[in-house]
Amino acid sequence: MTGEDYAGKHRRTGAGAIPAPRWSSRPTSGPPAGSSRPLAAQVVVIAKEPVPGRVKTRLTPPFTPAQAAALAEASLVDTLAAVAATPVSRRVLALDGRPGRWLPAGFDVIGQRGAGLDERIAWALTDAQDTLAVPLVLIGMDTPQVTPGLLAAAAGPLVSDTADATFGLAEDGGFWLLGLRKIDPALVLGVPMSQPDTGSRQLLRLERAGLRVRRLPELIDVDTVAEAEHIAAATPCSAFAACLAGLRYGFAQAAALTR
């Protein structure tokens, strides 16, 4: 997870915290057709509205801000689709911005609050569990290759009480998933975010708290062009791959016109 894509605008003041704004919730959908009974857990996606100039700025250049935002939206679309197909009791989008056409049915939408990314993660988890007291799995919008199977594997041990936390490191040194049976903001607050050792520091925080941690596979975050190309190649049928292919086609057309 990177701070760039989760810049919140609701900050705490004094000893209290500004309540996160809420939009009208859509009814949370049940499990996909043919699936088993949903897990008594919820998946929280923490994301930023894909507005040009505010997301994926490390992709510019070669992409324009509008093109980078299109890739961010495609990544978010794939992420939300994976969450929608995961058999859990509730799906939540903790959003900085306003919902758009990319939001599928079946999600409750809450606003982000806090200053740094550590605060926004901690309060998104807290706000979600205050509403429904079941284990949570939190992911960002940077791993469009995530699957319902991975998310279920993260939620299952929390529901069965065979783990207190589930955790997925990212290849760049961050982390792409954090799952907790019970929320304690102190497990996240103060962990330096967007650093090469953020993931290892967050994992150490969980372990020092005495939690039983179940590790998930390491994934690649989309932050650079090379990472975008790698993920698109690994997920050829995804919205992200289609978006990147369209942008490449546009580059090729522009190059042909200049010959």
Side-chain angles (χ1 to χ4, degrees), residues 249-259:
Y249 178 77
F251 286 149
Q253 292 291 93
L257 290 173
T258 60
R259 290 173 186 168

Side-chain angles (χ1 to χ4, degrees), residues 65-155:
Q67 291 168 335
L71 282 169
E73 180 173 330
S75 180
L76 183 54
V77 165
D78 287 328
T79 301
L80 294 174
V83 175
T86 304
V88 290
S89 300
R90 186 186 186 214
R91 303 167 186 90
V92 180
L93 175 63
L95 181 64
D96 172 27
R98 302 289 301 183
R101 62 184 181 181
W102 37 263
L103 179 64
F107 282 79
D108 293 338
V109 183
I110 62 175
Q112 292 182 26
R113 60 190 179 101
L117 179 55
D118 61 324
E119 291 187 9
R120 297 193 296 275
I121 290 174
W123 301 133
L125 291 168
T126 299
D127 292 342
Q129 197 168 68
D130 281 350
T131 304
L132 182 64
V134 296
L136 301 98
V137 171
L138 179 140
I139 61 172
M141 59 186 283
D142 295 333
T143 50
Q145 72 273 41
V146 70
T147 65
L150 280 173
L151 295 174

Side-chain angles (χ1 to χ4, degrees), residues 78 232 234-242:
D78 287 328
T235 58
C237 297
S238 65
F240 186 82

Side-chain angles (χ1 to χ4, degrees), residues 6-13 18-21 23 47-49 54 95-99 110-116 120:
Y6 306 105
K9 57 188 178 183
H10 306 289
R11 300 176 181 270
R12 294 184 296 163
T13 57
I18 299 175
W23 288 269
K48 190 173 183 179
E49 181 184 0
R54 300 187 65 215
L95 181 64
D96 172 27
R98 302 289 301 183
I110 62 175
Q112 292 182 26
R113 60 190 179 101
R120 297 193 296 275

Side-chain angles (χ1 to χ4, degrees), residues 4 14 17 27 33 38 64 73 96 98 101 119 128 130 147 150 169 172 176 184 196 199 204-205 209 228 230 234 244:
E4 169 195 322
T64 67
E73 180 173 330
D96 172 27
R98 302 289 301 183
R101 62 184 181 181
E119 291 187 9
D130 281 350
T147 65
L150 280 173
L169 286 167
D172 63 2
W176 68 272
D184 178 358
L204 183 61
R205 177 74 67 89
H230 179 92
L244 185 59

Side-chain angles (χ1 to χ4, degrees), residues 145-169:
Q145 72 273 41
V146 70
T147 65
L150 280 173
L151 295 174
L158 305 176
V159 174
S160 64
D161 195 16
T162 56
D164 302 308
T166 49
F167 192 71
L169 286 167

